[in-house]
mmCIF file of all heavy atoms in Angstrom:
data_model
loop_
_atom_site.group_PDB
_atom_site.id
_atom_site.type_symbol
_atom_site.label_atom_id
_atom_site.label_comp_id
_atom_site.label_asym_id
_atom_site.label_seq_id
_atom_site.Cartn_x
_atom_site.Cartn_y
_atom_site.Cartn_z
ATOM 1 N N ILE A 1 0.851 -1.192 0.000
ATOM 2 C CA ILE A 1 0.000 0.000 0.000
ATOM 3 C C ILE A 1 0.887 1.242 0.000
ATOM 4 O O ILE A 1 1.733 1.398 0.883
ATOM 5 C CB ILE A 1 -0.910 0.023 1.246
ATOM 6 C CG1 ILE A 1 -1.806 -1.223 1.254
ATOM 7 C CG2 ILE A 1 -1.752 1.292 1.276
ATOM 8 C CD1 ILE A 1 -2.625 -1.369 2.522
ATOM 9 N N PRO A 2 0.756 2.131 -0.996
ATOM 10 C CA PRO A 2 1.582 3.343 -1.017
ATOM 11 C C PRO A 2 1.235 4.272 0.139
ATOM 12 O O PRO A 2 0.079 4.327 0.578
ATOM 13 C CB PRO A 2 1.236 3.974 -2.376
ATOM 14 C CG PRO A 2 -0.132 3.462 -2.693
ATOM 15 C CD PRO A 2 -0.188 2.066 -2.128
ATOM 16 N N LEU A 3 2.231 4.998 0.631
ATOM 17 C CA LEU A 3 1.993 5.906 1.751
ATOM 18 C C LEU A 3 1.171 7.125 1.340
ATOM 19 O O LEU A 3 0.532 7.752 2.178
ATOM 20 C CB LEU A 3 3.334 6.369 2.339
ATOM 21 C CG LEU A 3 4.211 5.280 2.982
ATOM 22 C CD1 LEU A 3 5.441 5.912 3.607
ATOM 23 C CD2 LEU A 3 3.434 4.503 4.029
ATOM 24 N N ASP A 4 1.229 7.471 0.048
ATOM 25 C CA ASP A 4 0.499 8.670 -0.405
ATOM 26 C C ASP A 4 -0.804 8.301 -1.118
ATOM 27 O O ASP A 4 -1.161 8.917 -2.114
ATOM 28 C CB ASP A 4 1.379 9.527 -1.307
ATOM 29 C CG ASP A 4 1.887 8.762 -2.521
ATOM 30 O OD1 ASP A 4 1.809 7.523 -2.515
ATOM 31 O OD2 ASP A 4 2.359 9.410 -3.470
ATOM 32 N N PHE A 5 -1.509 7.288 -0.605
ATOM 33 C CA PHE A 5 -2.806 6.954 -1.213
ATOM 34 C C PHE A 5 -3.780 8.104 -0.944
ATOM 35 O O PHE A 5 -3.631 8.870 0.008
ATOM 36 C CB PHE A 5 -3.353 5.627 -0.665
ATOM 37 C CG PHE A 5 -3.718 5.661 0.788
ATOM 38 C CD1 PHE A 5 -4.994 6.003 1.189
ATOM 39 C CD2 PHE A 5 -2.778 5.344 1.766
ATOM 40 C CE1 PHE A 5 -5.348 6.025 2.527
ATOM 41 C CE2 PHE A 5 -3.111 5.371 3.105
ATOM 42 C CZ PHE A 5 -4.398 5.721 3.490
ATOM 43 N N SER A 6 -4.782 8.230 -1.793
ATOM 44 C CA SER A 6 -5.677 9.391 -1.697
ATOM 45 C C SER A 6 -7.117 8.952 -1.426
ATOM 46 O O SER A 6 -7.517 7.834 -1.732
ATOM 47 C CB SER A 6 -5.628 10.184 -3.001
ATOM 48 O OG SER A 6 -6.071 9.402 -4.086
ATOM 49 N N ILE A 7 -7.860 9.874 -0.843
ATOM 50 C CA ILE A 7 -9.304 9.701 -0.694
ATOM 51 C C ILE A 7 -9.985 10.880 -1.387
ATOM 52 O O ILE A 7 -9.345 11.884 -1.723
ATOM 53 C CB ILE A 7 -9.702 9.620 0.794
ATOM 54 C CG1 ILE A 7 -9.195 10.853 1.562
ATOM 55 C CG2 ILE A 7 -9.194 8.347 1.425
ATOM 56 C CD1 ILE A 7 -9.588 10.850 3.022
ATOM 57 N N ASN A 8 -11.282 10.790 -1.578
ATOM 58 C CA ASN A 8 -11.983 11.743 -2.449
ATOM 59 C C ASN A 8 -11.912 13.197 -1.996
ATOM 60 O O ASN A 8 -12.019 14.109 -2.811
ATOM 61 C CB ASN A 8 -13.456 11.332 -2.584
ATOM 62 C CG ASN A 8 -13.599 10.057 -3.394
ATOM 63 O OD1 ASN A 8 -12.702 9.701 -4.139
ATOM 64 N ND2 ASN A 8 -14.721 9.372 -3.245
ATOM 65 N N ILE A 9 -11.747 13.450 -0.715
ATOM 66 C CA ILE A 9 -11.764 14.833 -0.245
ATOM 67 C C ILE A 9 -10.420 15.534 -0.443
ATOM 68 O O ILE A 9 -10.302 16.731 -0.216
ATOM 69 C CB ILE A 9 -12.155 14.902 1.253
ATOM 70 C CG1 ILE A 9 -11.118 14.156 2.108
ATOM 71 C CG2 ILE A 9 -13.563 14.381 1.473
ATOM 72 C CD1 ILE A 9 -11.324 14.347 3.599
ATOM 73 N N MET A 10 -9.394 14.798 -0.878
ATOM 74 C CA MET A 10 -8.067 15.388 -1.048
ATOM 75 C C MET A 10 -7.938 16.085 -2.398
ATOM 76 O O MET A 10 -8.464 15.610 -3.417
ATOM 77 C CB MET A 10 -6.981 14.301 -0.955
ATOM 78 C CG MET A 10 -6.817 13.706 0.421
ATOM 79 S SD MET A 10 -5.515 12.438 0.424
ATOM 80 C CE MET A 10 -5.391 12.065 2.159
ATOM 81 N N GLU A 11 -7.215 17.191 -2.411
ATOM 82 C CA GLU A 11 -6.893 17.863 -3.664
ATOM 83 C C GLU A 11 -5.680 17.167 -4.271
ATOM 84 O O GLU A 11 -4.700 16.878 -3.583
ATOM 85 C CB GLU A 11 -6.586 19.341 -3.415
ATOM 86 C CG GLU A 11 -6.395 20.126 -4.703
ATOM 87 C CD GLU A 11 -6.267 21.622 -4.459
ATOM 88 O OE1 GLU A 11 -6.292 22.033 -3.280
ATOM 89 O OE2 GLU A 11 -6.145 22.368 -5.442
ATOM 90 N N LEU A 12 -5.752 16.900 -5.578
ATOM 91 C CA LEU A 12 -4.707 16.136 -6.239
ATOM 92 C C LEU A 12 -3.807 17.036 -7.082
ATOM 93 O O LEU A 12 -4.263 18.019 -7.671
ATOM 94 C CB LEU A 12 -5.324 15.061 -7.138
ATOM 95 C CG LEU A 12 -6.271 14.059 -6.459
ATOM 96 C CD1 LEU A 12 -6.784 13.051 -7.482
ATOM 97 C CD2 LEU A 12 -5.585 13.343 -5.293
ATOM 98 N N ALA A 13 -2.524 16.669 -7.145
ATOM 99 C CA ALA A 13 -1.580 17.369 -8.022
ATOM 100 C C ALA A 13 -1.958 17.059 -9.468
ATOM 101 O O ALA A 13 -2.155 15.894 -9.823
ATOM 102 C CB ALA A 13 -0.155 16.917 -7.738
ATOM 103 N N PRO A 14 -2.077 18.076 -10.331
ATOM 104 C CA PRO A 14 -2.583 17.853 -11.687
ATOM 105 C C PRO A 14 -1.728 16.923 -12.544
ATOM 106 O O PRO A 14 -2.246 16.210 -13.395
ATOM 107 C CB PRO A 14 -2.630 19.267 -12.284
ATOM 108 C CG PRO A 14 -1.732 20.100 -11.425
ATOM 109 C CD PRO A 14 -1.800 19.497 -10.062
ATOM 110 N N LYS A 15 -0.399 16.903 -12.348
ATOM 111 C CA LYS A 15 0.472 16.107 -13.207
ATOM 112 C C LYS A 15 0.563 14.649 -12.787
ATOM 113 O O LYS A 15 0.847 13.779 -13.616
ATOM 114 C CB LYS A 15 1.877 16.712 -13.242
ATOM 115 C CG LYS A 15 1.961 18.029 -14.011
ATOM 116 C CD LYS A 15 3.411 18.482 -14.126
ATOM 117 C CE LYS A 15 3.496 19.769 -14.941
ATOM 118 N NZ LYS A 15 4.895 20.244 -15.073
ATOM 119 N N THR A 16 0.358 14.360 -11.515
ATOM 120 C CA THR A 16 0.563 12.999 -11.026
ATOM 121 C C THR A 16 -0.682 12.338 -10.461
ATOM 122 O O THR A 16 -0.687 11.130 -10.240
ATOM 123 C CB THR A 16 1.652 12.993 -9.916
ATOM 124 O OG1 THR A 16 1.195 13.814 -8.826
ATOM 125 C CG2 THR A 16 2.962 13.535 -10.455
ATOM 126 N N ALA A 17 -1.733 13.135 -10.185
ATOM 127 C CA ALA A 17 -2.976 12.626 -9.589
ATOM 128 C C ALA A 17 -2.742 12.000 -8.219
ATOM 129 O O ALA A 17 -3.469 11.112 -7.795
ATOM 130 C CB ALA A 17 -3.659 11.625 -10.526
ATOM 131 N N ARG A 18 -1.710 12.477 -7.518
ATOM 132 C CA ARG A 18 -1.441 12.071 -6.146
ATOM 133 C C ARG A 18 -1.802 13.234 -5.227
ATOM 134 O O ARG A 18 -1.883 14.393 -5.669
ATOM 135 C CB ARG A 18 0.034 11.692 -5.945
ATOM 136 C CG ARG A 18 0.599 10.700 -6.944
ATOM 137 C CD ARG A 18 -0.177 9.421 -7.023
ATOM 138 N NE ARG A 18 -0.193 8.679 -5.775
ATOM 139 C CZ ARG A 18 -0.887 7.568 -5.591
ATOM 140 N NH1 ARG A 18 -1.661 7.102 -6.576
ATOM 141 N NH2 ARG A 18 -0.851 6.938 -4.436
ATOM 142 N N PRO A 19 -2.017 13.001 -3.935
ATOM 143 C CA PRO A 19 -2.403 14.082 -3.024
ATOM 144 C C PRO A 19 -1.428 15.266 -3.070
ATOM 145 O O PRO A 19 -0.214 15.082 -2.979
ATOM 146 C CB PRO A 19 -2.386 13.400 -1.656
ATOM 147 C CG PRO A 19 -2.651 11.977 -1.947
ATOM 148 C CD PRO A 19 -1.995 11.688 -3.253
ATOM 149 N N GLN A 20 -1.986 16.450 -3.214
ATOM 150 C CA GLN A 20 -1.174 17.655 -3.327
ATOM 151 C C GLN A 20 -0.764 18.164 -1.945
ATOM 152 O O GLN A 20 -1.587 18.304 -1.053
ATOM 153 C CB GLN A 20 -1.970 18.730 -4.071
ATOM 154 C CG GLN A 20 -1.230 20.024 -4.306
ATOM 155 C CD GLN A 20 -2.013 20.955 -5.208
ATOM 156 O OE1 GLN A 20 -2.054 20.771 -6.420
ATOM 157 N NE2 GLN A 20 -2.666 21.944 -4.623
ATOM 158 N N VAL A 21 0.538 18.458 -1.777
ATOM 159 C CA VAL A 21 1.025 18.984 -0.504
ATOM 160 C C VAL A 21 1.528 20.422 -0.637
ATOM 161 O O VAL A 21 1.708 21.123 0.344
ATOM 162 C CB VAL A 21 2.163 18.111 0.073
ATOM 163 C CG1 VAL A 21 1.651 16.732 0.397
ATOM 164 C CG2 VAL A 21 3.338 18.033 -0.892
ATOM 165 N N GLU A 22 1.788 20.815 -1.864
ATOM 166 C CA GLU A 22 2.220 22.166 -2.182
ATOM 167 C C GLU A 22 1.643 22.495 -3.544
ATOM 168 O O GLU A 22 1.195 21.602 -4.254
ATOM 169 C CB GLU A 22 3.758 22.243 -2.202
ATOM 170 C CG GLU A 22 4.318 23.613 -1.910
ATOM 171 C CD GLU A 22 5.829 23.569 -1.719
ATOM 172 O OE1 GLU A 22 6.269 23.356 -0.582
ATOM 173 O OE2 GLU A 22 6.554 23.744 -2.718
ATOM 174 N N LYS A 23 1.649 23.750 -3.950
ATOM 175 C CA LYS A 23 1.008 24.123 -5.198
ATOM 176 C C LYS A 23 1.482 23.247 -6.364
ATOM 177 O O LYS A 23 2.645 23.261 -6.748
ATOM 178 C CB LYS A 23 1.279 25.592 -5.519
ATOM 179 C CG LYS A 23 0.512 26.082 -6.736
ATOM 180 C CD LYS A 23 0.740 27.555 -6.979
ATOM 181 C CE LYS A 23 -0.045 28.024 -8.210
ATOM 182 N NZ LYS A 23 0.181 29.447 -8.488
ATOM 183 N N ASN A 24 0.548 22.471 -6.929
ATOM 184 C CA ASN A 24 0.770 21.598 -8.088
ATOM 185 C C ASN A 24 1.800 20.495 -7.844
ATOM 186 O O ASN A 24 2.263 19.858 -8.789
ATOM 187 C CB ASN A 24 1.202 22.415 -9.317
ATOM 188 C CG ASN A 24 0.119 23.358 -9.781
ATOM 189 O OD1 ASN A 24 -1.064 23.083 -9.619
ATOM 190 N ND2 ASN A 24 0.512 24.489 -10.357
ATOM 191 N N LEU A 25 2.176 20.236 -6.594
ATOM 192 C CA LEU A 25 3.180 19.216 -6.304
ATOM 193 C C LEU A 25 2.647 18.201 -5.294
ATOM 194 O O LEU A 25 2.023 18.576 -4.298
ATOM 195 C CB LEU A 25 4.449 19.845 -5.728
ATOM 196 C CG LEU A 25 5.284 20.740 -6.637
ATOM 197 C CD1 LEU A 25 6.454 21.319 -5.853
ATOM 198 C CD2 LEU A 25 5.788 19.985 -7.851
ATOM 199 N N ASP A 26 2.908 16.921 -5.574
ATOM 200 C CA ASP A 26 2.614 15.894 -4.578
ATOM 201 C C ASP A 26 3.853 15.712 -3.690
ATOM 202 O O ASP A 26 4.890 16.359 -3.893
ATOM 203 C CB ASP A 26 2.190 14.583 -5.241
ATOM 204 C CG ASP A 26 3.283 13.971 -6.106
ATOM 205 O OD1 ASP A 26 4.438 14.447 -6.050
ATOM 206 O OD2 ASP A 26 2.994 13.016 -6.837
ATOM 207 N N ASN A 27 3.748 14.831 -2.719
ATOM 208 C CA ASN A 27 4.842 14.656 -1.769
ATOM 209 C C ASN A 27 6.119 14.182 -2.455
ATOM 210 O O ASN A 27 7.215 14.656 -2.150
ATOM 211 C CB ASN A 27 4.431 13.647 -0.692
ATOM 212 C CG ASN A 27 4.936 14.045 0.676
ATOM 213 O OD1 ASN A 27 6.033 14.574 0.805
ATOM 214 N ND2 ASN A 27 4.132 13.789 1.699
#
């Protein structure tokens, strides 16, 4: 199981579709 799995309420980084932690960037 990846540590950065996402749920529906999370905003996603546009390029990777992973949870966004900074503007347009995932972890």
